[in-house]
mmCIF file of all heavy atoms in Angstrom:
data_model
loop_
_atom_site.group_PDB
_atom_site.id
_atom_site.type_symbol
_atom_site.label_atom_id
_atom_site.label_comp_id
_atom_site.label_asym_id
_atom_site.label_seq_id
_atom_site.Cartn_x
_atom_site.Cartn_y
_atom_site.Cartn_z
ATOM 1 N N VAL A 32 -72.728 2.422 -71.453
ATOM 2 C CA VAL A 32 -72.663 1.583 -70.217
ATOM 3 C C VAL A 32 -73.849 0.627 -70.095
ATOM 4 O O VAL A 32 -74.996 1.151 -70.167
ATOM 5 C CB VAL A 32 -72.516 2.509 -68.976
ATOM 6 C CG1 VAL A 32 -73.584 2.282 -67.901
ATOM 7 C CG2 VAL A 32 -71.170 2.470 -68.373
ATOM 8 N N ARG A 34 -75.407 -3.158 -68.168
ATOM 9 C CA ARG A 34 -75.152 -4.313 -67.085
ATOM 10 C C ARG A 34 -74.579 -5.332 -67.753
ATOM 11 O O ARG A 34 -74.920 -5.691 -68.892
ATOM 12 C CB ARG A 34 -76.522 -4.595 -66.674
ATOM 13 C CG ARG A 34 -76.519 -5.309 -65.252
ATOM 14 C CD ARG A 34 -77.097 -4.446 -64.135
ATOM 15 N NE ARG A 34 -77.246 -5.245 -62.898
ATOM 16 C CZ ARG A 34 -76.113 -5.630 -62.221
ATOM 17 N NH1 ARG A 34 -74.923 -5.323 -62.701
ATOM 18 N NH2 ARG A 34 -76.384 -6.116 -60.971
ATOM 19 N N THR A 103 -95.099 2.912 -23.672
ATOM 20 C CA THR A 103 -95.877 3.461 -22.797
ATOM 21 C C THR A 103 -96.210 2.645 -21.554
ATOM 22 O O THR A 103 -97.277 2.306 -21.368
ATOM 23 C CB THR A 103 -97.223 3.911 -23.433
ATOM 24 O OG1 THR A 103 -97.816 2.908 -23.898
ATOM 25 C CG2 THR A 103 -96.978 5.051 -24.467
ATOM 26 N N ASP A 164 -101.502 -3.137 -24.737
ATOM 27 C CA ASP A 164 -100.874 -1.790 -24.606
ATOM 28 C C ASP A 164 -101.716 -0.961 -23.550
ATOM 29 O O ASP A 164 -102.318 0.055 -24.071
ATOM 30 C CB ASP A 164 -100.749 -1.282 -25.943
ATOM 31 C CG ASP A 164 -100.044 0.194 -25.880
ATOM 32 O OD1 ASP A 164 -99.420 0.378 -24.835
ATOM 33 O OD2 ASP A 164 -99.894 0.689 -27.003
ATOM 34 N N ASP A 165 -101.935 -1.371 -22.314
ATOM 35 C CA ASP A 165 -102.826 -0.674 -21.397
ATOM 36 C C ASP A 165 -102.133 -0.175 -20.132
ATOM 37 O O ASP A 165 -102.816 0.124 -19.140
ATOM 38 C CB ASP A 165 -103.861 -1.543 -20.922
ATOM 39 C CG ASP A 165 -104.947 -1.824 -22.058
ATOM 40 O OD1 ASP A 165 -105.021 -1.103 -23.039
ATOM 41 O OD2 ASP A 165 -105.783 -2.786 -21.881
ATOM 42 N N VAL A 167 -100.600 2.621 -19.164
ATOM 43 C CA VAL A 167 -100.889 3.862 -18.510
ATOM 44 C C VAL A 167 -102.368 3.888 -18.084
ATOM 45 O O VAL A 167 -102.625 4.419 -17.011
ATOM 46 C CB VAL A 167 -100.718 5.034 -19.587
ATOM 47 C CG1 VAL A 167 -101.202 6.390 -19.043
ATOM 48 C CG2 VAL A 167 -99.180 5.068 -19.998
ATOM 49 N N ASN A 171 -103.282 4.733 -14.155
ATOM 50 C CA ASN A 171 -104.112 5.830 -13.817
ATOM 51 C C ASN A 171 -105.237 5.573 -12.949
ATOM 52 O O ASN A 171 -105.752 6.530 -12.261
ATOM 53 C CB ASN A 171 -104.567 6.508 -15.262
ATOM 54 C CG ASN A 171 -103.416 7.370 -15.852
ATOM 55 O OD1 ASN A 171 -102.422 7.411 -15.224
ATOM 56 N ND2 ASN A 171 -103.793 7.790 -17.066
ATOM 57 N N ARG A 172 -105.787 4.319 -12.921
ATOM 58 C CA ARG A 172 -106.873 3.920 -12.194
ATOM 59 C C ARG A 172 -106.519 3.232 -10.850
ATOM 60 O O ARG A 172 -107.535 2.730 -10.218
ATOM 61 C CB ARG A 172 -107.804 3.117 -13.058
ATOM 62 C CG ARG A 172 -108.426 3.953 -14.146
ATOM 63 C CD ARG A 172 -109.013 3.120 -15.349
ATOM 64 N NE ARG A 172 -109.735 3.959 -16.264
ATOM 65 C CZ ARG A 172 -109.047 4.740 -17.206
ATOM 66 N NH1 ARG A 172 -107.815 4.882 -16.957
ATOM 67 N NH2 ARG A 172 -109.743 5.478 -17.996
ATOM 68 N N ARG A 590 -66.089 6.652 -65.013
ATOM 69 C CA ARG A 590 -66.438 5.675 -65.944
ATOM 70 C C ARG A 590 -65.589 5.543 -67.184
ATOM 71 O O ARG A 590 -65.095 6.680 -67.566
ATOM 72 C CB ARG A 590 -67.841 5.803 -66.336
ATOM 73 C CG ARG A 590 -68.841 5.487 -65.273
ATOM 74 C CD ARG A 590 -70.121 4.807 -65.689
ATOM 75 N NE ARG A 590 -70.958 4.247 -64.776
ATOM 76 C CZ ARG A 590 -70.759 3.085 -64.058
ATOM 77 N NH1 ARG A 590 -69.699 2.303 -64.299
ATOM 78 N NH2 ARG A 590 -71.681 2.718 -63.238
ATOM 79 N N GLU B 31 -105.276 8.618 -23.765
ATOM 80 C CA GLU B 31 -104.849 8.408 -22.444
ATOM 81 C C GLU B 31 -103.607 7.557 -22.305
ATOM 82 O O GLU B 31 -102.638 7.969 -21.628
ATOM 83 C CB GLU B 31 -106.001 7.884 -21.549
ATOM 84 C CG GLU B 31 -105.429 7.942 -20.012
ATOM 85 C CD GLU B 31 -106.508 7.278 -19.040
ATOM 86 O OE1 GLU B 31 -107.667 7.090 -19.623
ATOM 87 O OE2 GLU B 31 -106.197 6.892 -18.075
ATOM 88 N N GLU B 32 -103.484 6.507 -23.088
ATOM 89 C CA GLU B 32 -102.362 5.617 -23.150
ATOM 90 C C GLU B 32 -101.097 6.486 -23.535
ATOM 91 O O GLU B 32 -100.067 6.163 -23.100
ATOM 92 C CB GLU B 32 -102.670 4.382 -23.890
ATOM 93 C CG GLU B 32 -101.444 3.375 -23.851
ATOM 94 C CD GLU B 32 -101.206 2.725 -22.502
ATOM 95 O OE1 GLU B 32 -102.211 2.582 -21.606
ATOM 96 O OE2 GLU B 32 -100.098 2.267 -22.322
ATOM 97 N N ARG B 95 -109.395 2.870 -30.988
ATOM 98 C CA ARG B 95 -108.291 3.416 -30.088
ATOM 99 C C ARG B 95 -107.135 3.862 -31.062
ATOM 100 O O ARG B 95 -106.423 4.838 -30.590
ATOM 101 C CB ARG B 95 -107.785 2.211 -29.346
ATOM 102 C CG ARG B 95 -107.490 2.683 -27.946
ATOM 103 C CD ARG B 95 -107.393 1.666 -27.013
ATOM 104 N NE ARG B 95 -105.889 1.546 -26.607
ATOM 105 C CZ ARG B 95 -105.348 0.956 -25.565
ATOM 106 N NH1 ARG B 95 -106.154 0.164 -24.838
ATOM 107 N NH2 ARG B 95 -104.051 0.912 -25.554
ATOM 108 N N GLY B 107 -94.923 13.826 -32.263
ATOM 109 C CA GLY B 107 -93.743 13.711 -33.244
ATOM 110 C C GLY B 107 -93.186 12.328 -33.405
ATOM 111 O O GLY B 107 -92.151 12.148 -33.666
ATOM 112 N N LEU B 108 -94.224 11.337 -33.237
ATOM 113 C CA LEU B 108 -93.719 9.899 -33.257
ATOM 114 C C LEU B 108 -94.444 9.325 -34.556
ATOM 115 O O LEU B 108 -95.494 9.788 -34.905
ATOM 116 C CB LEU B 108 -94.128 9.110 -32.053
ATOM 117 C CG LEU B 108 -93.515 9.502 -30.743
ATOM 118 C CD1 LEU B 108 -94.175 8.645 -29.707
ATOM 119 C CD2 LEU B 108 -92.026 9.241 -30.844
ATOM 120 N N ARG B 131 -91.624 -5.380 -55.809
ATOM 121 C CA ARG B 131 -90.216 -4.966 -55.365
ATOM 122 C C ARG B 131 -89.236 -5.377 -56.505
ATOM 123 O O ARG B 131 -88.235 -4.708 -56.818
ATOM 124 C CB ARG B 131 -89.913 -5.492 -54.120
ATOM 125 C CG ARG B 131 -90.207 -4.602 -52.850
ATOM 126 C CD ARG B 131 -89.850 -5.239 -51.642
ATOM 127 N NE ARG B 131 -88.484 -4.960 -51.198
ATOM 128 C CZ ARG B 131 -87.890 -5.461 -50.114
ATOM 129 N NH1 ARG B 131 -88.576 -6.261 -49.436
ATOM 130 N NH2 ARG B 131 -86.633 -5.099 -49.898
ATOM 131 N N GLU B 139 -82.437 -0.645 -62.053
ATOM 132 C CA GLU B 139 -81.141 -1.008 -62.544
ATOM 133 C C GLU B 139 -81.006 -0.678 -63.981
ATOM 134 O O GLU B 139 -79.994 -0.143 -64.471
ATOM 135 C CB GLU B 139 -80.951 -2.544 -62.441
ATOM 136 C CG GLU B 139 -81.073 -3.238 -60.960
ATOM 137 C CD GLU B 139 -79.590 -3.515 -60.612
ATOM 138 O OE1 GLU B 139 -79.171 -4.502 -61.166
ATOM 139 O OE2 GLU B 139 -79.117 -2.943 -59.705
ATOM 140 N N ARG B 141 -82.680 1.650 -65.581
ATOM 141 C CA ARG B 141 -82.337 2.990 -65.658
ATOM 142 C C ARG B 141 -80.978 3.638 -65.245
ATOM 143 O O ARG B 141 -80.478 4.417 -65.853
ATOM 144 C CB ARG B 141 -83.371 3.921 -64.781
ATOM 145 C CG ARG B 141 -84.560 4.418 -65.498
ATOM 146 C CD ARG B 141 -85.490 5.282 -64.638
ATOM 147 N NE ARG B 141 -86.025 4.571 -63.557
ATOM 148 C CZ ARG B 141 -86.403 5.163 -62.397
ATOM 149 N NH1 ARG B 141 -86.056 6.373 -62.173
ATOM 150 N NH2 ARG B 141 -86.871 4.399 -61.524
ATOM 151 N N TRP B 143 -78.205 1.844 -65.564
ATOM 152 C CA TRP B 143 -77.168 1.527 -66.478
ATOM 153 C C TRP B 143 -77.375 2.219 -67.924
ATOM 154 O O TRP B 143 -76.310 2.494 -68.566
ATOM 155 C CB TRP B 143 -77.008 0.066 -66.714
ATOM 156 C CG TRP B 143 -76.490 -0.653 -65.385
ATOM 157 C CD1 TRP B 143 -77.275 -1.622 -64.810
ATOM 158 C CD2 TRP B 143 -75.541 -0.203 -64.398
ATOM 159 N NE1 TRP B 143 -76.620 -2.019 -63.639
ATOM 160 C CE2 TRP B 143 -75.580 -1.076 -63.277
ATOM 161 C CE3 TRP B 143 -74.541 0.811 -64.481
ATOM 162 C CZ2 TRP B 143 -74.864 -0.884 -62.139
ATOM 163 C CZ3 TRP B 143 -73.721 0.861 -63.338
ATOM 164 C CH2 TRP B 143 -73.921 -0.157 -62.259
ATOM 165 N N ARG B 145 -78.370 5.426 -70.143
ATOM 166 C CA ARG B 145 -78.168 6.935 -69.637
ATOM 167 C C ARG B 145 -79.058 7.882 -70.328
ATOM 168 O O ARG B 145 -79.442 7.718 -71.548
ATOM 169 C CB ARG B 145 -76.683 7.187 -69.906
ATOM 170 C CG ARG B 145 -75.879 7.644 -68.685
ATOM 171 C CD ARG B 145 -74.491 8.057 -68.989
ATOM 172 N NE ARG B 145 -73.822 7.241 -69.812
ATOM 173 C CZ ARG B 145 -72.649 7.614 -70.545
ATOM 174 N NH1 ARG B 145 -72.323 8.894 -70.474
ATOM 175 N NH2 ARG B 145 -71.975 6.755 -71.338
#
Side-chain angles (χ1 to χ4, degrees):
Chain A
V32 122
R34 200 110 174 67
T103 56
D164 183 8
D165 283 346
V167 173
N171 284 352
R172 287 159 177 73
R590 288 217 171 281
Chain B
E31 185 182 343
E32 183 65 22
R95 223 171 104 164
L108 294 175
R131 268 177 89 182
E139 298 252 297
R141 258 188 297 151
W143 302 129
R145 237 183 314 158

